[in-house]
């Protein structure tokens, strides 16, 4: 696995290569920069003012969230500690492990997020109720 990571309190940020060539080019590879096989990619954009997204956790899905444009703050919560991480560099992705409660706030105008995920979408992978989450991790 590529070692360009920045430890945070509850997770880590992955720095992917940023190649300067009449502009910038960034890339990521599964099981290399991304610490899992990628089964799904989605993106989030045109988020309305003051939106709060997320507010859930995943039982089996690991993800890495990149902020390709703009800025967003991700609040991580493991049931004991919380941490707010602002993403605003297109070559930095936040690793989101399973069973970490997360909320996305503070979207700047025109923010564009790209997320790579280890699993296909399944509604029953989500825990959306915080009290249930606390019980499940206890
Ligand atoms: C997460 C944070 C970081 C699908 O049908 N397929 C998909 O792959 C996804 C991601 C979502 N959806 C549907 C499910 C909901 O009806 O799109 C709707 C919104 O999904 P969700 O409420 O999960 O969106 P966010 O922005 O609150 O959370 C998203 C990811 O879904 C979630 O996995 O961890 O970004």
């Amino acid at each position: 696995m590529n070692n360009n990571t920045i430890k945070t309190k509850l997770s880590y940020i992955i720095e992917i290569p940023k190649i300067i060539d009449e502009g910038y080019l960034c890339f990521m590879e599964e099981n290399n920069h991304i610490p899992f096989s990628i089964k799904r990619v989605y993106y989030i954009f045109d988020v309305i003012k003051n939106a709060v997204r997320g507010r859930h956790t995943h039982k089996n899905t690991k993800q890495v969230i990149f902020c390709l444009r703009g800025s967003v703050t991700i609040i991580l919560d493991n049931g004991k500690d919380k941490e707010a991480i602002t993403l605003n560099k297109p070559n930095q992705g936040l690793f989101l492990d399973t069973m970490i409660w997360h909320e996305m706030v503070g979207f700047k105008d025109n923010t564009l997020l790209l997320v790579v995920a280890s699993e296909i979408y399944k509604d029953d992978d989500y825990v959306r109720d915080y009290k249930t989450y606390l019980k499940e991790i206890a």
Side-chain angles (χ1 to χ4, degrees), residues 40 42 44 53-54 56 58 63 65 96 102 104 115 121 126 128:
R40 179 164 52 108
Y42 61 92
I44 297 173
R53 301 190 67 109
H56 58 237
H58 296 278
Q63 305 189 92
I65 305 175
L96 202 51
H102 51 279
M104 298 181 283
V115 186
Y121 177 78
Y126 284 69
R128 289 197 172 90

Side-chain angles (χ1 to χ4, degrees), residues 55-59 76-82 99-102 126-138:
R55 279 192 175 145
H56 58 237
T57 190
H58 296 278
K59 295 180 203 165
L76 303 181
D77 178 345
N78 66 1
K80 277 194 265 173
D81 293 313
K82 285 190 186 191
M99 295 309 278
I100 294 277
W101 188 266
H102 51 279
Y126 284 69
V127 181
R128 289 197 172 90
D129 175 66
Y130 190 67
K131 282 190 184 153
T132 308
Y133 166 67
L134 290 179
K135 273 191 209 145
E136 292 209 6
I137 55 164

